[in-house]
């Protein structure tokens, strides 16, 4: 609050000539989170220091841990890789860092961003592992979209990617996974869960660390970092990243929330953090929080139902029933056991594709 | 429950339609049959407003459905019982017009029963109407427009007779204890000292509630009826979320809000805006829309967002409120236990049976003096850091949202702001300072303590 007060009073006093943090250099930017006018060096410092504080205060890491960074080649994961390796060095976290990338098989999008990740591997000196949907599941996103169209494709991709990251992490034998989810992402998720009535997810989505009781815990060091600041950091540091929207995402419902948050940020920058705070403060009975946890009968992955979501979706794809697993469970493995549907005949023959399985 | 789905006839609530064409098909089907879906005898009403469920129900079934939701809310939450004296907050808009109409019809029915009964054991509850005149907040006051509005309100209330209802026209500056020019000036100064646009709008809302509470308690009312509908609550859920008020949200959206001296009840909570406007249209209920000060803050942004979502899916408002309804309410979201001497035995038994009341001595929450929101632990932990300046005490006592958007940032402006606040809000701050959990607990158990304070610890 003091910072924005300073920023405001400086504005009133006339053009500010000096960075309001160091009072030495010329300001070159207005900080999105606080609207302070600061120089490049001070921006790097506050940006990195805030993330370091988040890591320390939330006990995200322990010395000696092997940590995989979910790397897509996009701005969030590139900046995450850069900052994390820098902080690891500067503050001696003692971490063994890796880059883990998932190839969903989206021509023209993912193959380009993977090139970026490969460059990151060299630039940051972090070993890279790439896993593909093709290898893991026998389906690429291109195949999936050809079959189901552009509605609900994000569901498939998201479910598959989560499991892919866990499997990649298991292969690399890591203790933890970090992802580049930023404050804007989490604020959008809070809003989405309110709009869609998902109280259980609402209670979990603001946690900085999730899956402590699953195969590999994952955390989000960028939980309080603004997307705009990440872009700013990457821009000033001239970091190499790939900046196109996924070609299959224009119809995603999240778009509503994202537009709204952009407008909100213009009116009141701190609202993004306020949404996250609200999400953390919602009075949700602990009984609604945790679904009962078991393992998938088919592949052994963590699951609250008989089959994990990935297996349900995969089964649907392989049997030519793409709606299976979307919406409420009406039949099939996880619903009532009345399978009265006949498999629809597809336009082209779909061979039952192998789905990989890994023991957990 | 947000939509009370057993009674909710808007159809699409809770079930997401893939696209609009399905709804259209059903409407066309209904038109072909030309019979009300519910009673299967009368011709269905068409409102032609482009909303959902047009042409499904006849006028009678539609009206009885909406009234049914109102009545269910009233009885299942003990909102209005025979010995109550109820004040209806009336803004002239559709929602409060319907609330007033329904409360009137309930009262008429109660009067009929009273006159027909032999022993006259159940009295008829009293009803008054309050209209808040906010013109002092927006100088230059639109006095002629306000004068017309007040006259219209007066005649509307007069027409609702029998039983007779008192009308209280409440100028918002009455929160300062008088209605003078000084009070109006003070109001303007207070609002001007808030730099954030949204903060200003919200402060005005809090003052409005304070003025309603004042007129209610000064005139012997023990219930305040507010016409907030599902749609308004959906916007409130989102505005509260984006302002960091997630903790106190569940307090604001229940049927009953008894943290106030005069408990506030929301009997139209389960009705959507579309139903309310259609009802006004159907029954010829006139409304008045006062020219509003242009709103450019967050509240307005959220309203537009909700409208956009509604276009995409007409049941979105219901889903939002239903989600928020799953949050844990507070102990004061029930009618409080009071001295029951004037409440009929039958009512007392019923209230006890359904656990509709709470123990009024359970004041475990601290409240923000400005918005009256329950304070989260992280907010109230600052309570004990007050250093002696009144402004520090005010700052410490407020929730983080009010601190940011309403309180001025520097100490001298904050002192000045504190001096402008109505007495009631400042006295809340003093109340905080005295609150000491040790003392509070000791009071509860002192009859069992054998040793003095120091020795016992």
């Amino acid at each position: 609050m003091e910072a924005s007060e300073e920023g405001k009073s400086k504005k009133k006093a006339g053009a500010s000539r000096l960075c309001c943090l160091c009072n030495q250099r010329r300001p070159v930017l207005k900080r999105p989170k606080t609207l302070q006018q600061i120089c490049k060096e001070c921006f790097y410092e506050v940006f990195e220091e805030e993330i370091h504080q988040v890591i320390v205060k939330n006990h995200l890491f322990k010395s000696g841990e092997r940590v995989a960074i979910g790397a897509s080649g996009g701005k969030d994961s590139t900046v995450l890789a850069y900052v994390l390796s820098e902080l690891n060095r500067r503050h001696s976290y003692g971490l063994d860092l890796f880059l883990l990338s998932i190839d969903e098989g989206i021509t023209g999008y993912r193959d380009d961003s993977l090139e970026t990740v490969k460059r990151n591997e060299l630039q940051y000196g972090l070993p890279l592992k790439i896993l593909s949907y093709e290898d893991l599941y026998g389906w690429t996103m291109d195949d999936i979209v050809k079959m189901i169209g552009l509605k609900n494709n994000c569901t498939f991709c998201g479910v598959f990617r989560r499991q892919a990251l866990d499997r990649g992490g298991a292969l690399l034998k890591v203790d933890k996974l970090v992802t580049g989810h930023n404050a804007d992402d989490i604020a959008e998720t809070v809003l989405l869960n309110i709009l869609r009535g998902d109280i259980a997810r609402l209670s979990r989505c603001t946690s900085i660390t999730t899956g402590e009781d699953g195969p590999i815990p994952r955390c989000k060091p960028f939980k309080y970092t603004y997307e705009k600041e990440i872009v700013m950091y990457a821009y000033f540091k001239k970091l190499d990243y790939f900046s196109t929207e996924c070609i299959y995402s224009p119809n995603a419902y999240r778009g509503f929330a994202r537009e709204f948050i952009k407008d909100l940020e213009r009116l009141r920058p701190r609202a993004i953090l306020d949404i996250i705070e609200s999400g953390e403060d919602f009075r949700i009975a602990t009984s609604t929080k945790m679904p009962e946890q078991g393992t998938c009968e088919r592949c052994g992955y963590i699951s609250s139902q008989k089959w994990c979501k990935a297996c349900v979706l995969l089964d649907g794809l392989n049997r030519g029933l793409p709606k299976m697993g979307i919406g409420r469970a009406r039949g099939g493995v996880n619903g009532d056991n009345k399978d009265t549907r006949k498999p629809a005949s597809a336009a082209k023959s779909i061979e039952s594709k192998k789905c990989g399985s890994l023991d957990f | 429950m947000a939509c009370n789905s057993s009674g909710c006839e808007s159809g699409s609530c809770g079930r997401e339609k893939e696209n609009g064409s399905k709804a259209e098909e059903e409407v066309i089907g209904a038109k072909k049959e030309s019979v009300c879906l519910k009673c299967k005898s009368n011709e269905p009403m068409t409102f032609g407003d482009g909303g959902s469920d047009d042409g499904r129900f006849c006028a009678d079934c539609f009206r009885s459905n909406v009234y049914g939701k109102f009545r269910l809310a009233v009885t299942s939450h003990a909102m209005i019982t025979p010995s109550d004296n109820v004040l209806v907050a009336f803004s002239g808009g559709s929602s409060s017009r319907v609330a007033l109409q329904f409360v009137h019809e309930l009262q008429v029915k109660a009067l009929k029963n009273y006159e027909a009964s032999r022993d006259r054991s159940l009295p008829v509850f009293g009803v008054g109407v309050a209209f808040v005149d906010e013109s002092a907040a927006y100088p230059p006051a639109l006095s002629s427009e306000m004068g017309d509005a007040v006259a219209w309100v007066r005649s509307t209330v007069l027409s609702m007779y029998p039983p007779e209802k008192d009308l209280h026209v409440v100028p918002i500056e009455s929160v300062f204890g008088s209605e003078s020019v000084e009070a109006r000036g003070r109001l303007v100064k207070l609002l001007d000292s808030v730099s954030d646009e949204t903060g200003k709008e919200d402060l005005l809302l809090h003052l409005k509630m304070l003025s309603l509470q004042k007129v209610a308690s000064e005139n012997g009312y023990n219930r305040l009826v507010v016409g907030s509908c599902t749609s308004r609550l959906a916007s409130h859920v989102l505005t509260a979320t984006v302002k960091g008020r997630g903790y106190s949200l569940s307090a604001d959206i229940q049927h009953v809000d008894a943290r106030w001296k005069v408990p506030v009840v929301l009997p139209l909570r389960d009705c959507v805006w579309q139903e309310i406007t259609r009802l006004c249209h159907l029954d010829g209920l006139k409304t008045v829309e006062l020219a509003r000060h242009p709103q450019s803050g967050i509240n307005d942004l959220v309203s537009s967002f909700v409208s956009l979502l509604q276009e995409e899916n007409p049941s979105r408002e219901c889903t939002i409120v239903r989600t928020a309804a799953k949050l844990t309410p507070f102990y004061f979201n029930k009618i409080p236990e009071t001295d029951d001497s004037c409440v009929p035995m039958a009512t007392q038994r019923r209230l006890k049976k359904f656990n509709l009341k709470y123990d009024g001595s359970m004041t475990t929450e601290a409240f923000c003096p400005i918005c009256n929101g329950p304070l989260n632990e992280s907010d109230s932990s600052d309570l004990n850091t007050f250093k002696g300046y009144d402004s520090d005490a005010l700052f410490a006592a407020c929730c983080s949202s009010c601190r940011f958007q309403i309180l001025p940032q520097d100490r001298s402006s904050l002192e000045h702001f504190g001096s402008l606040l109505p007495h009631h809000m400042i006295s809340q701050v003093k109340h905080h300072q005295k609150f000491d959990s040790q003392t509070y607990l000791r009071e509860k158990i002192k009859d069992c303590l054998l040793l003095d304070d120091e020795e016992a610890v």
Side-chain angles (χ1 to χ4, degrees), chain A residues 261-280:
Chain A
I261 285 183
K262 286 213 173 87
D263 293 334
L264 193 61
E265 194 183 1
R266 251 174 258 133
L267 280 181
R268 187 187 280 189
R270 75 173 247 166
I272 295 179
L273 294 179
D274 285 340
I275 295 176
I276 298 177
E277 190 184 329
S278 288
E280 291 164 342

Side-chain angles (χ1 to χ4, degrees), chain B residues 97 102 126 145 156 166 208 211 214 235 238-239 254 265 278 284 292 295 314 383 392 400 422 456:
Chain B
R97 182 69 186 85
F102 282 176
E145 194 200 15
T156 305
D166 287 333
K208 195 167 164 187
S211 64
K214 194 160 185 285
S235 286
L238 295 182
T239 54
Q254 306 301 326
V265 296
R278 282 180 173 178
R292 301 212 106 192
Q295 310 219 305
L383 271 177
D392 281 342
S400 62

Side-chain angles (χ1 to χ4, degrees), chain A residues 1 4-5 8 151-152 190-191 193-199 202 253 256-257 260 263-264 267-268 270-272 274-279 281-285 288 323 328, chain B residues 18 196 198 237-238 240-247 249-250 296-298 301-302 305 308-309 312 316 319-320 323 326-330 365 376 395 400 404-405 409-410:
Chain A
M1 190 172 67
S4 60
E5 174 198 40
K8 280 183 194 158
K151 199 158 179 161
N152 299 320
V190 169
L191 285 182
N193 286 330
I194 294 174
L195 297 182
R196 295 184 131 173
D198 201 331
I199 196 84
L202 189 58
Y253 194 68
F256 281 108
F260 171 67
D263 293 334
L264 193 61
L267 280 181
R268 187 187 280 189
R270 75 173 247 166
I272 295 179
D274 285 340
I275 295 176
I276 298 177
E277 190 184 329
S278 288
D281 293 344
F282 282 140
R283 286 159 61 96
I284 299 177
T288 47
K323 288 284 180 187
R328 305 235 174 113
Chain B
E18 292 273 61
D196 186 285
T198 310
V237 169
L238 295 182
T241 303
V242 308
K243 291 170 187 169
R245 304 172 60 91
Y247 180 72
L249 172 60
S250 57
S296 55
I298 288 179
L301 179 67
V302 169
F305 181 53
L308 182 67
L309 293 175
E312 189 268 337
R316 191 60 68 193
T319 309
I320 293 173
T323 313
K326 293 179 189 165
L327 302 176
T328 312
F330 290 81
E365 302 277 351
N376 202 359
F395 183 84
S400 62
F404 171 75
Q405 66 170 17
Q409 307 298 347
D410 61 282

Side-chain angles (χ1 to χ4, degrees), chain A residues 137-157:
Chain A
Y137 308 114
W139 287 79
T140 62
M141 274 315 292
D142 285 343
D143 294 335
I144 292 174
V145 171
K146 272 196 206 95
M147 186 174 178
I148 68 164
L150 287 170
K151 199 158 179 161
N152 299 320
N153 49 316
C154 291
T155 301
F156 282 81
C157 192

